[in-house]
Amino acid sequence: MREKRLIAVMIVCAGVAAALLFSTRPISAQNHEHEKGEPPFPLYNPYPPGILPANLESEIARVLREIDVIEERAIQRWHSLPLPTRLATRPGPNPPVLKDTGTESIETLGELMLFDKNISPGRNQACTSCHMPYAAWSGPIPSVNLTIIAYPGTVHFRAGKRTAQRHTYAPFFPVLQYNQEQGLFFGGNFWDSRATGYRLRDPDAEQAQGPPVDTQEMGFPDTACVAFRLSQAVYKPLFEVLWGKNSLDIKFPQNTEEICETPGGAAVFGGDPEPIKLTPEERTEANTVYDHWGASIDAYEQSTQVSTFTSKFDAMLKGNYTFTPDEQAGYNLFNGKGNCNSCHVDGRGTTLKPGQTDTSTTATANPPVFTCFGSANEGLPLNPRDAFYYQTTPDSFGFIGNPFGFGYRDLGMGTFLRSGFGSGPNPNRTWIQFAPMVDGQFQVATTRNVAMTPPQCPTTEAGTGKPYFQKEFFHNGYIKSLKQLVHFYNTRDTSFAKNVTSGHCPEGTIERVTCWPMKEVPNNLDTTTGMLGLTDTEENQIVAFLETLSDGFTSPYPNSDTFTGACMTCNPATDPNCSPSRQGNGELIPTPPLPPCASAICGVAPVPSPPIP
Amino acid sequence: MNKALLTLSIMILSGSLLAQESPITPRAERIQISEGPEVPLVGGYLTVIRWTVNNPGGLPVHYGVVHYGTDPKNLSQTAKNPIRLNPYHSSTVFRVNLYNLAPKTTFYYTVKSMDSRGKSDGVTSLMKTFTTQ
């Protein structure tokens, strides 16, 4: 009886949803527009003038063209791949391993998925729209990195709130765990570790299940849309080789295409996370496909196509490269006065006395990934350029990205443990109590590939005489060059620390050079660094060392040749910000007066202690 | 081979470095404050208290803790900041930030440190003092 009523309600809801879908949007007309190359959705622009970069639309299109080039290469790779051997009889009771080319097959499948722009309602966004190989799989659009820092999703211009992390070495992070003995968290993926790996036992595979249904990213309204679009993909046969002959044969209802063409968060869905009405059996099949989606992408990201260990540093470990004096000095500072390897663990004994030899053979057997897999609060100032703060009004689908505006504060892992706004559900209730201890903490990123740029723009740093590729650093992109990054670690807690927000540095100081605005989250601030006493030269030497960590030195980095955009150049004679120290200062804007932290963020128990203003 | 080195090599061989999580750091035989506490920065906004401990060892994260106040008999305020030990360094610098202290005021303070589970490192400084501008 109860069940019947539920079904009836569901049918009514589905009916209403379908009616709304058809009445609010002329779907066929939209498809038609899309074919003409016009944006598939009405533009959403809540941004005051000057916030969005002027070339945003053309840059997104440029990246999509590059994505198609790599997808085409991946298709070639797949076609040239001999089918794995499926043994008819298995000697002994063995698992069903695909012999010989099973590994290459799953990696290639993952690659085909990563560069597939059909995995989004508008067929206008792939994972790699925000993660291109030539930027070490981080943000590919220099003007975005310089300004709004968050990348737009399938709906232009909904956008997220944080910088796109590099894929390289992300698969090496273990399942998120609370180490009882140490009272510390380790592992997980994402800046706030919310891809824990609790279910698939693989944070990177669970990570890949986030973006397709993230309202500000690829934005499907239902995870089953991934199975639906995969069932139409050209590489469907490869998926079936790996994951089973009929694994994509799910009977999708008639209106599935309409649903999957509509961005998540649209009011028509009334908050229903599964608007595609499948039988329980088919829902299970679709969920299984989604797990296989995650596993395949993880296989590729961990493969030697992505995480290659081909940097100068790796060559140095093997004795095939000698550091320049500056690189060597930088390495010594990284491990010494800079204290960087307290967190960015380099896996080697370093303070050797004369006559001692390093017995840690680990270095070459298992090259270090320069992270302790933990988290820390590095005390970044709030970045008022972040696109997130401006998405306070509904888009044409009735979706609001950030109802709190500048009342939003990014508490990182703390908000995740509270299953709070802008993060994901925490699967472990015993962790909630630790939230106040990790407020403001973000994952210790690997320093590998932080400096990687397309070959034609060989540096991240402005004003060196070479064309540069503008990147963005730390979770909120406040830092614009590696020089600034090291200078921040060096001087954050000196007399340069000012009681102001970004854009309001006192007369006579220069933001990011002699003025660091207040920390967005003062709680749990880590003070391993912040007052290092490094000289200007020593800062530069650490930058030189960081630059030795870019893959592609001992062999070309796969697909790093695909950047077709423009490098940046500047003229120090006419542009005062044409230097690594002042890079991006022309784009600083004054932070508006900040409302208090929204109670949906800072008022969720167990509340931050001390309270966050 | 001294004990610390032995522990270090056992750690390396036993693969805790292979996993690359922060290794457990060897503990100095007699833990003591080897420098400071001192006040390298007295600012209207930020005041910094800093001291060096020869090596507290143990868990990767420790907290520097400062008790302070204007009445030497009642250090009513507490501030603390976490740091990560460097497994290869023979000493550890602790630093605690104090914000927006009242101007032209004399403060009294003591410092101590503990690990991330709250276990004291067993060192406390004598009471010291500084005056804001």
Side-chain angles (χ1 to χ4, degrees):
Chain A
M1 176 66 203
R2 239 190 92 175
E3 206 181 0
K4 256 195 199 144
R5 208 186 308 145
L6 198 73
I7 290 171
V9 169
M10 262 164 49
I11 290 170
V12 171
C13 288
V16 170
L20 278 170
L21 268 172
F22 284 96
S23 64
T24 53
R25 299 177 38 236
I27 282 161
S28 49
Q30 238 172 28
N31 275 342
H32 186 67
E33 265 177 54
H34 186 36
E35 275 155 27
K36 287 195 317 210
E38 277 160 41
F41 307 117
L43 206 68
Y44 173 58
N45 191 350
Y47 303 97
I51 293 296
L52 294 182
N55 63 1
L56 186 52
E57 205 57 91
S58 64
E59 280 289 85
I60 292 172
R62 186 259 300 165
V63 173
L64 277 177
R65 289 193 301 274
E66 296 164 357
I67 286 172
D68 285 345
V69 169
I70 302 178
E71 184 75 348
E72 194 48 50
R73 287 179 189 173
I75 290 173
Q76 296 304 324
R77 188 151 97 99
W78 160 40
H79 287 325
S80 64
L81 200 64
L83 272 181
T85 315
R86 204 179 277 280
L87 298 177
T89 55
R90 293 187 216 143
N94 280 317
V97 172
L98 297 175
K99 196 169 159 289
D100 300 326
T101 56
T103 300
E104 270 173 275
S105 297
I106 188 170
E107 290 170 3
T108 305
L109 177 61
E111 180 176 20
L112 287 161
M113 290 168 165
L114 268 183
F115 291 93
D116 184 352
K117 65 186 179 206
N118 296 310
I119 309 295
S120 57
R123 298 183 187 276
N124 63 346
Q125 180 157 68
C127 297
T128 42
S129 289
C130 309
H131 300 275
M132 283 294 272
Y134 50 71
W137 305 85
S138 66
I141 305 182
S143 63
V144 167
N145 298 343
L146 188 60
T147 59
I148 56 173
I149 73 100
Y151 277 72
T154 189
V155 177
H156 297 176
F157 299 104
R158 286 185 190 176
K161 57 184 174 297
R162 298 185 185 141
T163 52
Q165 292 168 286
R166 297 179 289 284
H167 290 178
T168 45
Y169 311 103
F172 291 73
F173 278 71
V175 174
L176 182 67
Q177 48 167 307
Y178 178 74
N179 183 319
Q180 296 276 355
E181 185 211 348
Q182 306 193 352
L184 298 171
F185 284 94
F186 292 98
N189 264 187
F190 279 131
W191 284 116
D192 56 7
S193 306
R194 71 183 181 279
T196 61
Y198 82 103
R199 194 172 69 88
L200 301 178
R201 310 312 297 163
D202 177 347
D204 191 56
E206 285 182 14
Q207 187 288 324
Q209 298 185 323
V213 288
D214 183 321
T215 43
Q216 278 102 315
E217 297 191 342
M218 294 146 96
F220 277 135
D222 187 323
T223 54
C225 291
V226 172
F228 179 66
R229 290 281 168 92
L230 286 175
S231 72
Q232 305 166 338
V234 283
Y235 53 85
K236 179 183 174 188
L238 182 58
F239 187 96
E240 291 183 322
V241 166
L242 264 308
W243 300 114
K245 190 94 194 77
N246 301 317
S247 53
L248 291 166
D249 295 352
I250 297 168
K251 271 197 256 16
F252 284 101
Q254 280 269 293
N255 64 349
T256 303
E257 179 57 36
E258 281 90 320
I259 291 172
C260 295
E261 265 182 12
T262 307
V268 289
F269 299 124
D272 181 355
E274 294 181 350
I276 303 177
K277 296 306 158 199
L278 297 170
T279 64
E281 294 75 26
E282 282 161 343
R283 180 54 69 178
T284 301
E285 277 179 53
N287 289 345
T288 305
V289 169
Y290 205 37
D291 288 346
H292 294 159
W293 155 268
S296 309
I297 286 179
D298 171 60
Y300 178 61
E301 289 177 349
Q302 185 155 15
S303 76
T304 50
Q305 298 282 309
V306 177
S307 300
T308 64
F309 294 104
T310 55
S311 67
K312 279 183 183 171
F313 178 82
D314 297 297
M316 183 280 291
L317 287 184
K318 297 200 182 86
N320 297 332
Y321 176 74
T322 310
F323 274 162
T324 66
D326 274 347
E327 291 166 351
Q328 184 62 48
Y331 186 30
N332 296 345
L333 290 162
F334 189 89
N335 291 333
K337 198 170 163 187
N339 230 337
C340 313
N341 72 333
S342 290
C343 299
H344 302 287
V345 185
D346 74 339
R348 309 189 84 205
T350 50
T351 44
L352 300 176
K353 305 220 167 64
Q356 279 180 330
T357 44
D358 188 347
T359 52
S360 48
T361 50
T362 55
T364 42
N366 187 45
V369 291
F370 290 94
T371 171
C372 60
F373 303 122
S375 295
N377 180 4
E378 290 305 331
L380 273 297
L382 185 150
N383 180 0
R385 274 273 180 189
D386 189 335
F388 197 57
Y389 296 114
Y390 303 95
Q391 301 172 57
T392 54
T393 52
D395 65 13
S396 64
F397 299 96
F399 172 77
I400 304 179
N402 172 17
F404 310 111
F406 276 92
Y408 175 75
R409 300 286 186 283
D410 199 343
L411 309 189
M413 201 179 185
T415 290
F416 162 58
L417 294 188
R418 296 182 186 96
S419 305
F421 172 75
S423 189
N426 164 2
N428 188 332
R429 60 185 178 176
T430 67
W431 291 346
I432 303 171
Q433 57 181 310
F434 303 121
M437 283 166 43
V438 299
D439 278 323
Q441 290 195 348
F442 294 88
Q443 195 164 77
V444 178
T446 168
T447 50
R448 280 185 180 267
N449 286 327
V450 71
M452 192 196 280
T453 56
Q456 64 269 45
C457 341
T459 174
T460 55
E461 311 292 287
T464 64
K466 292 182 212 146
Y468 67 100
F469 184 84
Q470 178 64 53
K471 294 187 88 170
E472 51 183 8
F473 301 106
F474 290 129
H475 72 276
N476 70 359
Y478 175 75
I479 295 290
K480 301 300 179 192
S481 71
L482 291 175
K483 170 71 178 176
Q484 285 169 14
L485 179 141
V486 177
H487 188 59
F488 177 73
Y489 277 116
N490 186 23
T491 62
R492 183 194 65 200
D493 297 338
T494 64
S495 59
F496 298 164
K498 302 294 179 198
N499 194 16
V500 297
T501 51
S502 176
H504 299 286
C505 280
E507 275 290 310
T509 66
I510 301 171
E511 189 160 341
R512 300 180 180 125
V513 183
T514 53
C515 168
W516 296 113
M518 64 172 78
K519 289 112 191 151
E520 178 178 353
V521 181
N523 304 27
N524 306 308
L525 179 78
D526 181 277
T527 52
T528 313
T529 62
M531 193 188 243
L532 294 172
L534 300 169
T535 64
D536 187 53
T537 306
E538 288 175 330
E539 287 181 358
N540 296 342
Q541 288 169 333
I542 293 182
V543 171
F545 167 67
L546 291 174
E547 287 170 341
T548 69
L549 298 175
S550 296
D551 286 322
F553 177 70
T554 54
S555 58
Y557 193 73
N559 292 319
S560 64
D561 60 341
T562 46
F563 178 62
T564 55
C567 301
M568 317 264 272
T569 52
C570 62
N571 181 353
T574 54
D575 178 356
N577 297 321
C578 183
S579 71
S581 297
R582 295 180 59 165
Q583 192 168 340
N585 273 15
E587 281 69 28
L588 289 169
I589 56 169
T591 308
L594 291 177
C597 176
S599 63
I601 297 157
C602 291
V604 183
V607 295
S609 164
I612 289 166
Chain B
M1 203 191 239
N2 72 26
K3 215 167 150 194
L5 247 170
L6 187 71
T7 329
L8 190 68
S9 44
I10 289 172
M11 256 167 32
I12 290 165
L13 294 176
S14 69
S16 68
L17 288 181
L18 271 171
Q20 282 178 10
E21 287 175 15
S22 303
I24 300 290
T25 309
R27 197 178 159 94
E29 230 144 78
R30 253 194 71 230
I31 301 173
Q32 57 192 28
I33 295 178
S34 53
E35 262 175 73
E38 55 178 347
V39 190
L41 177 68
V42 188
Y45 172 54
L46 173 63
T47 298
V48 172
I49 296 181
R50 179 173 68 188
W51 66 100
T52 307
V53 173
N54 60 346
N55 214 350
L59 306 186
V61 170
H62 282 238
Y63 285 82
V65 183
V66 172
H67 295 294
Y68 67 104
T70 49
D71 176 357
K73 287 189 216 81
N74 180 19
L75 303 182
S76 57
Q77 315 255 52
T78 302
K80 60 176 186 174
N81 287 101
I83 56 109
R84 281 214 181 232
L85 295 189
N86 191 314
Y88 309 114
H89 291 189
S90 55
S91 66
T92 298
V93 177
F94 285 94
R95 199 157 50 68
V96 171
N97 289 356
L98 311 176
Y99 295 94
N100 294 315
L101 298 180
K104 298 196 169 40
T105 308
T106 296
F107 286 89
Y108 301 86
Y109 70 96
T110 61
V111 306
K112 64 178 188 189
S113 60
M114 61 189 195
D115 71 18
S116 50
R117 301 215 44 207
K119 185 167 151 283
S120 166
D121 290 337
V123 283
T124 313
S125 73
L126 300 175
M127 192 176 311
K128 298 196 78 174
T129 159
F130 65 91
T131 303
T132 52
Q133 293 148 4

